[in-house]
Amino acid sequence: AQVAESGGGLVQSGGSLRLSCEVSRFTADAYAMGWFRRAPGKEREGVSAFNFNTGTTYYSDSVKGRFTISRDNGKNVVYLQMDSLKPEDTAVYYCAADLYGSSWVWLWTREYEYDYWGQGTQVTVSS
């Protein structure tokens, strides 16, 4: 399987961007897909996730109410709609896929839950 994200770019503060992510070379339903980001000088952090198995979506406190994760009609494709962007949202955004959901207790922020990762896409928010 492969994961590829797209849709990053440069936007002014208060603007919007939509990121897309697709799992290829995997025909079954993934268990979950998530978005992480790494800002300059900081560790990678969880932003949002969609558990396909339960239909549950998750958001970090820093993006709740501004970002929306959605899935494309039963496909292994997710979108991250980012509104009201702030300069502190500037980061490389990574998409990740958990194909099998093998953890006994699944935590969306745990990076090792995810089997495959994309290369990342840069999001820059200017003030």
Side-chain angles (χ1 to χ4, degrees):
Q2 287 186 325
V3 174
E5 60 278 87
S6 61
L10 173 64
V11 65
Q12 288 189 331
S13 181
S16 298
L17 281 175
R18 190 175 85 151
L19 305 183
S20 301
C21 177
E22 179 178 9
V23 177
S24 60
R25 302 182 183 181
F26 185 75
T27 56
D29 280 351
Y31 182 82
M33 295 178 68
W35 289 97
F36 290 73
R37 67 185 181 187
R38 178 182 283 124
K42 295 187 177 181
E43 293 188 353
R44 190 158 59 184
E45 62 173 355
V47 175
S48 181
F50 198 135
N51 186 313
F52 296 166
N53 190 55
T54 63
T56 306
T57 57
Y58 303 86
Y59 299 94
S60 67
D61 288 343
S62 61
V63 307
K64 198 172 295 182
R66 300 188 298 122
F67 290 12
T68 304
I69 191 170
S70 60
R71 182 185 184 186
D72 184 5
N73 289 336
K75 300 177 182 177
N76 291 331
V77 175
V78 291
Y79 305 101
L80 186 67
Q81 178 66 40
M82 305 186 294
D83 298 320
S84 302
L85 282 161
K86 306 174 182 179
E88 51 263 45
D89 294 317
T90 295
V92 177
Y93 283 71
Y94 299 89
C95 180
D98 178 356
L99 302 184
Y100 308 108
S102 53
S103 291
W104 190 253
V105 178
W106 189 78
L107 295 179
W108 74 275
T109 54
R110 266 196 313 227
E111 293 192 15
Y112 68 74
E113 301 282 8
Y114 301 88
D115 309 288
Y116 293 89
W117 292 76
Q119 299 279 5
T121 185
Q122 176 70 46
V123 171
T124 303
V125 184
S126 62
S127 57

